[in-house]
Amino acid sequence: MVFRHSVSLGALSAALVFATPAFAQQTSADSSASQDQSTATRTAVMTGQAAPEETGADITVTGTRIPSRPNITAAAPITSVTSADIKAQSPSNIEEVLNRLPQISPDSQQNYQDSDGRQRIKLRSLGFERTLVLVDGKRLGTQNGEDAGIIPVSLIERVDVLTGGASSVYGSDAVAGVVNFILKPDFKGIRVDANYNFYNHINRANIVTDQAQKNGFPTNTGMVTDGGRADLTLTAGTALFDDKLKVSGFVNYKHADLVPYGNRSTSACQLIQTGKDGPLSCSLSSYSKSGYISPRSGANNGAAYINNPDGTRTFVPYGPGPNNAANPYDNYSYQRADERVNAGGFASLKLSPEIELYGSGLWFRDKSTNNVPTRVFAYNNYGSTPYQVNCNNPYLSGSQATALCGAAAGTSALVPLEIRYRLNAPDLVDTYINTGIRATGGVRGKIGTAWTYDVGGVYARNQQDWMPATLPNFSRINQALNVVNVGGTPTCAVGAAAGCVPFDAFSAGNANQAFVNFISGGVDPEKQRTVNTLTNVLANVTGDLGKYGITSPFAEQGLAFAAGVEYREDRLTSVGNAAFRADYGGSDSNLSQHVWEGNIELQAPLVQHKPFIEQLQVNGGFRLSKYNTNPDKFTTWKLEGLYSPVRDIVLRASFNKAQRAPTVTETYQATNINFSKQGGSQNDFCAPVPRLIADPARPGQTITTTAPLASQAVCRATGLSDALYGSALLLCPDNQCTVRSGGFTANPETAYTQTYGIILKPSFIPGLVLSVDRYRIKINNSLGYNDDSYYTDGCMRSNGDPFFCSGIVRAANGTLYATANTNPTSGFIRAGTTNYYFSISRGYDFQGQYGVRLGSVGKLDMSFNGSLTTFAGGQDSPLQPQRNCAGYYGNGCSQLLPKWSHGLRTTYTTPNGVFNASFNWRYVGSLTSANNSGDPAIGGTPDRAQTTFYRIAPISYFDLALTFNIAKRYSLRLISNNLLDKSAPILPNSYDISLARSNTIPARYDSLGRNIAIGFTANF
């Protein structure tokens, strides 16, 4: 739950000093009172109770619309991160705040080269679409446009993480749980927060540097200091008219320096391992700085050369080796260059106890870039027509002209060729500009002593402008290749565009920036703009019916009640200019959907303060939803129970039916019909295909057969007659069958979630609180995108399971080919966004807090948060086995959840609060290749078991934060995260595992090394 209260400026400034992780602390001149209050508050965070001294405060609770009442414990487990914990970490973005929580599937969108820079939150390995993000109890924005970067880190009072479904309270998307950011309310005075952090890492030789050196790629060893990140926030607020009008605002600036892959020895090149336990190599690119040349005619047609790196105008064979093939990712972003401005304001006007007007606004602009090498691209990026060069080109030596032109060498004849050239010029950049606004407003108040109301809403708009590096002009490259000798000066031939700069493609190390400018001219910049908007109107009323005597005869507190109605509209528009569509295809879109909802909640204390029943309570909730994109109505509900036999023990359980409606993008993908060709060369698996099989008549020998890939029984399950099995009539033109995406109804997912646990607060150990909670999440009709191979491979693997085989829709003649413009109803393989069987997440959460006073020495506070994941995966159909990816990676296990992880923070504070030291231990459990799991459902078979790079060992990180409180107005923080500078584990083929080419999992591990931070806060 969240405590809303006002504190004095002196108390607030002192509170910033303490770095106790799991509870908010406040200090005063009376350190004893401070200790008592902090103990009560941290107990309240874990149990969900109101702190005793805050009984009359305005308290908001995550997971319910009913305000908390004294002695009422939360029935659903809540994990909290406080402002003190955040300051002890000195994060620069929301991802870093949450990635340390075991309940969060970590992400690192600010680091991925291929990401769009938006920060999204994923609970329980179930994806960001299933995690509802709130700010002060109201939605952050749409799921499609979610960007937690708009949330100012320095203004966070607490982050509450609620496990399990909460759709009956908040509506769609609260399937995996809720993350609620509570911002500091009612600020008075002026505060300046400044943080600067950087990485200080020792690069060591390793298996990556060995491979990089074999290819002549530079490697960085020794001490490196880089990745500087600055964060400055100014906050101001005041209260007027006897505190009836409260106004506050902030402005924040953040900057992050680029850290390229080449700055770390562990990412000196992308490490590749081909096949099980195969040899290691670096990923190589034909876009060499020496220039890759391949004739497309004559005797050397198809040969691959590069210009001799020694500077002579000769060709040498292309291949691995020093100064030959290029490192395609050496300057990619390990940490993206980023610049962000964030601002906002908050206001409330209390006209009377019955009427309070409130409003808030947040705005941000974030610009991040990805480096892209400056290149002359292969001609097949533009089409099927090769480049052409004249055979009397003055840049061609005699041997080069002969290799390309044969007998035509020295003539003006034009011959086709392929050129790929990484120019020795400054990198181009992909640019993402994410902007957003979020405005809330409404009126709330109390009616008598029993009732409260809140009528308000949220408007959120997120805009992303993506400006990718533009391909050079194909025509201008050809013009620059047609070069003649004019008075001894190489000159573009007649007919070239004005300002044509000749292209010397036949020597190594071309660094002609004028040539780069020429081929980039005449090309419109590419741009795509995507806008997501949320319009959300809510009206809620709560009542304490105990004020009217509606109370159990065995309880002191009465029935509590909440009811509400809600309207919510999501809209997405996406527009690309002509240049963008030419390179990336697609079409503009304008999508929307809306929903009307009504909900009710009840909280019923049944027995209180009786022998053997200190507390017995049940809670319930129900919501009805109607979407304009679906003909059906949908219901969600919750049922919760609490039983406390004595004050020291609380048993709790929660059962939820939650739902996630398809986003507007998913709805569009599901309903919009389009046809394409099946990728690759795979044909109908019931058609003949040449392949080698064992010869039964000659052991150890093979024969060539044209038997289909699938068995006759599987083909029969797709509706094929036995007479057509193996028939050449089933072969699709160009070996590419038709794929139809869309034309289906995407229904909401339905999740049934359970949490049950125990809270222990032993009275004989004051200050100790322990809890254990079990969670079980099962999502029926999971929504997701599946390509055609999902159905074909599933049909074959399952030996004819109708769930998969129904996605293979044969024409009357048995074929899987249809003409798209006829809008066929058969003759295709299904693909697209659809509902499939279910997803599963199960495990245990463990929390512990202990605070002890050490008399004149000070006090010690400890906080523990651990999570044991027992199941993370799903099941594709009733006939398929369940896929459990907990603790595994690869073979579709992409959430990368160790079975066990935890955080343990211990904080010592001096009696006068002038100094504290906070030591944190982060433990990340092991991850094992799915090949070595022993579970066939995730590809674990004995013959595929790996002996190299099959396991990432557990790793422990240690963090230290020292805080000095100066004159109760200023605080200075010195922080070292990953104090021992542990390098990230090395993993070949990392892009297949983590979407990063840095040979590790940067979201999960501290991949850039030790991080040192200096923070300062001043209050005026």
Side-chain angles (χ1 to χ4, degrees):
M1 73 180 56
V2 178
F3 304 106
R4 294 283 196 180
H5 54 88
S6 297
V7 297
S8 68
L9 182 60
L12 179 61
S13 63
L16 296 173
V17 177
F18 293 93
T20 308
F23 52 91
Q25 290 188 337
Q26 297 176 343
T27 61
S28 65
D30 185 351
S31 60
S32 175
S34 170
Q35 176 68 34
D36 292 341
Q37 182 175 2
S38 65
T39 300
T41 303
R42 72 170 178 267
T43 303
V45 171
M46 177 169 285
T47 64
Q49 292 178 321
E53 53 275 318
E54 298 184 281
T55 301
D58 179 16
I59 300 169
T60 303
V61 184
T62 298
T64 177
R65 300 288 186 186
I66 299 174
S68 179
R69 297 175 293 167
N71 304 317
I72 296 298
T73 302
I78 298 174
T79 300
S80 291
V81 182
T82 68
S83 59
D85 191 25
I86 293 170
K87 284 187 176 293
Q89 181 185 348
S90 188
S92 67
N93 55 55
I94 293 298
E95 287 178 340
E96 294 178 2
V97 172
L98 297 178
N99 279 354
R100 293 186 176 192
L101 293 179
Q103 294 80 9
I104 297 289
S105 300
D107 210 346
S108 190
Q109 293 296 316
Q110 292 294 293
N111 290 347
Y112 290 158
Q113 169 80 19
D114 295 336
S115 83
D116 60 10
R118 290 184 292 179
Q119 298 177 50
R120 297 177 171 182
I121 301 168
K122 300 182 291 186
L123 270 172
R124 304 296 188 198
S125 77
L126 293 172
F128 74 88
E129 301 93 339
R130 299 184 178 108
T131 300
L132 181 59
V133 180
L134 308 174
V135 176
D136 290 330
K138 292 183 172 65
R139 288 176 179 258
L140 172 65
T142 71
Q143 295 298 93
N144 285 127
E146 177 184 305
D147 191 342
I150 197 173
I151 300 171
V153 174
S154 61
L155 266 69
I156 295 174
E157 178 74 20
R158 175 154 61 249
V159 186
D160 287 346
V161 179
L162 173 69
T163 298
S167 293
S168 64
V169 177
Y170 297 113
S172 176
D173 310 323
V175 172
V178 174
V179 178
N180 191 9
F181 292 88
I182 309 301
L183 303 185
K184 297 179 193 287
D186 306 337
F187 181 79
K188 295 180 182 179
I190 299 175
R191 187 179 72 225
V192 176
D193 291 288
N195 293 284
Y196 181 76
N197 64 61
F198 58 91
Y199 293 99
N200 173 252
H201 176 65
I202 298 177
N203 280 310
R204 298 174 175 85
N206 52 64
I207 56 173
V208 182
T209 57
D210 290 344
Q211 292 299 321
Q213 289 165 3
K214 290 178 182 179
N215 289 279
F217 300 156
T219 56
N220 196 349
T221 56
M223 179 71 73
V224 61
T225 299
D226 57 13
R229 300 184 298 178
D231 184 351
L232 180 65
T233 305
L234 173 65
T235 308
T238 189
L240 303 171
F241 309 115
D242 296 327
D243 284 351
K244 289 183 172 58
L245 174 62
K246 299 175 182 178
V247 180
S248 61
F250 75 94
V251 61
N252 169 259
Y253 173 77
K254 294 180 182 180
H255 173 85
D257 292 337
L258 168 70
V259 178
Y261 277 178
N263 279 28
R264 293 294 180 271
S265 62
T266 51
S267 53
C269 69
Q270 180 179 241
L271 198 63
I272 300 298
Q273 185 176 40
T274 305
K276 178 175 70 78
D277 300 325
L280 297 174
S281 63
C282 285
S283 180
L284 305 178
S285 171
S286 56
Y287 286 96
S288 171
K289 288 186 178 180
S290 296
Y292 171 96
I293 308 293
S294 178
R296 285 297 183 263
S297 65
N300 295 319
N301 186 4
Y305 305 117
I306 66 162
N307 298 306
N308 199 321
D310 67 6
T312 62
R313 292 185 180 273
T314 57
F315 289 145
V316 296
Y318 165 79
N323 301 313
N324 195 330
N327 181 349
Y329 310 118
D330 54 348
N331 215 27
Y332 270 32
S333 302
Y334 213 144
Q335 174 177 282
R336 295 156 68 109
D338 180 76
E339 190 168 45
R340 181 184 308 155
V341 180
N342 198 186
F346 311 86
S348 65
L349 176 60
K350 194 166 188 177
L351 301 176
S352 68
E354 293 79 20
I355 302 175
E356 180 181 8
L357 305 178
Y358 66 90
S360 69
L362 297 175
W363 170 88
F364 86 115
R365 182 185 189 274
D366 180 271
K367 178 181 179 181
S368 63
T369 56
N370 292 324
N371 283 24
V372 178
T374 302
R375 290 168 286 185
V376 172
F377 285 86
Y379 70 81
N380 55 21
N381 284 277
Y382 304 91
S384 58
T385 303
Y387 296 117
Q388 290 189 318
V389 67
N390 55 309
C391 293
N392 60 346
N393 189 305
Y395 289 127
L396 283 170
S397 68
S399 64
Q400 289 175 319
T402 300
L404 294 176
C405 304
T411 72
S412 61
L414 295 172
V415 294
L417 78 165
E418 167 70 300
I419 295 178
R420 301 173 190 172
Y421 209 120
R422 181 169 176 177
L423 297 156
N424 194 14
D427 285 347
L428 303 176
V429 293
D430 283 340
T431 302
Y432 288 92
I433 298 178
N434 290 296
T435 57
I437 59 172
R438 179 182 183 271
T440 69
V443 57
R444 62 194 173 200
K446 296 181 178 180
I447 303 174
T449 60
W451 297 92
T452 67
Y453 71 93
D454 187 340
V455 179
V458 178
Y459 175 79
R461 183 183 187 275
N462 287 82
Q463 175 178 301
Q464 180 180 93
D465 291 331
W466 176 28
M467 290 153 285
T470 304
L471 288 174
N473 187 302
F474 177 82
S475 175
R476 289 197 172 194
I477 296 172
N478 258 336
Q479 293 170 25
L481 283 169
N482 190 2
V483 181
V484 296
N485 194 331
V486 178
T489 300
T491 306
C492 295
V494 175
C500 178
V501 178
F503 179 20
D504 182 2
F506 307 107
S507 65
N510 190 312
N512 191 339
Q513 185 64 48
F515 166 69
V516 175
N517 295 339
F518 172 70
I519 63 175
S520 300
V523 178
D524 292 331
E526 298 177 5
K527 182 176 181 179
Q528 182 189 50
R529 170 169 291 180
T530 303
V531 177
N532 290 270
T533 59
L534 168 71
T535 303
N536 191 192
V537 181
L538 309 91
N540 294 286
V541 61
T542 68
D544 185 352
L545 303 186
K547 303 293 185 181
Y548 300 99
I550 304 177
T551 305
S552 164
F554 308 106
E556 297 175 358
Q557 293 176 308
L559 182 72
F561 163 89
V565 294
E566 183 172 353
Y567 171 81
R568 191 168 61 251
E569 180 187 57
D570 294 354
R571 183 174 293 276
L572 180 150
T573 60
S574 180
V575 178
N577 65 9
F580 183 91
R581 294 294 176 217
D583 279 351
Y584 291 91
S587 59
D588 295 347
S589 58
N590 186 357
L591 316 174
S592 68
Q593 69 176 1
H594 67 259
V595 58
W596 287 95
E597 297 181 311
N599 69 291
I600 187 171
E601 280 189 83
L602 295 174
Q603 188 182 91
L606 302 179
V607 182
Q608 291 177 307
H609 313 311
K610 302 298 181 185
F612 308 109
I613 306 179
E614 175 63 23
Q615 180 181 1
L616 178 63
Q617 176 181 311
V618 295
N619 305 329
F622 179 83
R623 178 175 289 252
L624 178 66
S625 305
K626 177 63 178 72
Y627 290 85
N628 69 315
T629 53
N630 198 297
D632 299 323
K633 296 182 177 68
F634 301 96
T635 60
T636 55
W637 50 261
K638 72 172 182 177
L639 180 63
E640 301 172 336
L642 289 162
Y643 170 57
S644 178
V646 294
R647 287 180 178 270
D648 295 6
I649 302 173
V650 178
L651 303 174
R652 60 186 176 189
S654 175
F655 303 89
N656 285 265
K657 177 191 176 186
Q659 284 189 323
R660 180 180 79 86
T663 65
V664 289
T665 299
E666 289 172 322
T667 299
Y668 176 78
Q669 290 173 339
T671 58
N672 186 55
I673 297 175
N674 64 79
F675 294 88
S676 62
K677 297 293 185 66
Q678 187 176 14
S681 60
Q682 182 179 346
N683 223 308
D684 185 342
F685 57 35
C686 298
V689 55
R691 55 183 176 141
L692 292 174
I693 64 170
D695 185 350
R698 297 179 299 163
Q701 302 297 312
T702 59
I703 58 174
T704 300
T705 179
T706 56
L709 294 173
S711 69
Q712 191 170 32
V714 167
C715 294
R716 190 181 299 128
T718 69
L720 185 71
S721 69
D722 291 349
L724 287 174
Y725 179 69
S727 170
L729 296 175
L730 301 178
L731 292 169
C732 295
D734 301 322
N735 293 328
Q736 293 188 341
C737 298
T738 301
V739 175
R740 189 184 90 167
S741 298
F744 316 106
T745 298
N747 290 311
E749 300 175 334
T750 299
Y752 293 93
T753 70
Q754 309 166 29
T755 62
Y756 35 91
I758 183 172
I759 304 170
L760 302 177
K761 301 175 291 178
S763 56
F764 53 88
I765 309 180
L768 177 64
V769 184
L770 302 171
S771 72
V772 181
D773 289 279
R774 169 70 161 162
Y775 67 88
R776 297 170 60 91
I777 304 173
K778 180 180 177 183
I779 305 174
N780 296 338
N781 296 321
S782 290
L783 278 165
Y785 180 86
N786 297 305
D787 62 17
D788 53 277
S789 64
Y790 173 80
Y791 295 98
T792 56
D793 293 353
C795 184
M796 290 179 62
R797 285 197 315 266
S798 63
N799 293 318
D801 180 357
F803 178 85
F804 294 105
C805 297
S806 62
I808 300 170
V809 184
R810 297 189 177 277
N813 60 2
T815 65
L816 293 175
Y817 178 79
T819 304
N821 59 15
T822 64
N823 195 23
T825 58
S826 63
F828 55 80
I829 304 170
R830 176 177 170 174
T833 296
T834 57
N835 297 93
Y836 54 101
Y837 201 41
F838 57 70
S839 301
I840 305 171
S841 183
R842 296 196 290 260
Y844 296 86
D845 285 335
F846 302 83
Q847 294 188 64
Q849 295 172 331
Y850 182 54
V852 58
R853 285 182 289 181
L854 305 175
S856 61
V857 178
K859 60 181 178 179
L860 198 66
D861 293 293
M862 290 176 284
S863 174
F864 178 83
N865 181 16
S867 186
L868 174 66
T869 303
T870 59
F871 199 106
Q875 187 174 1
D876 286 340
S877 83
L879 301 181
Q880 292 291 93
Q882 294 183 356
R883 292 172 49 85
N884 185 4
C885 289
Y888 297 106
Y889 66 85
N891 299 344
C893 293
S894 59
Q895 293 294 343
L896 311 171
L897 281 178
K899 292 182 179 178
W900 173 259
S901 59
H902 73 245
L904 173 63
R905 186 179 288 277
T906 302
T907 302
Y908 165 75
T909 307
T910 59
N912 57 7
V914 170
F915 169 77
N916 82 19
S918 186
F919 185 76
N920 187 39
W921 171 28
R922 293 179 282 134
Y923 179 87
V924 182
S926 64
L927 287 170
T928 303
S929 169
N931 292 339
N932 289 43
S933 65
D935 182 0
I938 56 173
T941 57
D943 61 312
R944 291 189 64 192
Q946 298 173 217
T947 59
T948 59
F949 300 105
Y950 64 88
R951 182 174 182 267
I952 300 175
I955 189 168
S956 291
Y957 293 109
F958 300 101
D959 312 316
L960 178 64
L962 306 177
T963 306
F964 303 87
N965 187 26
I966 306 166
K968 294 188 177 181
R969 283 185 175 271
Y970 312 102
S971 66
L972 176 67
R973 298 174 298 279
L974 304 176
I975 300 166
S976 179
N977 297 308
N978 188 7
L979 182 66
L980 303 181
D981 188 31
K982 289 195 173 183
S983 296
I986 294 174
L987 182 71
N989 308 322
S990 62
Y991 190 81
D992 298 337
I993 306 301
S994 64
L995 297 180
R997 296 182 172 88
S998 53
N999 306 316
T1000 191
I1001 306 172
R1004 174 61 69 184
Y1005 301 101
D1006 289 17
S1007 53
L1008 289 172
R1010 180 191 298 114
N1011 179 263
I1012 296 175
I1014 301 171
F1016 179 75
T1017 297
N1019 290 274
F1020 304 99

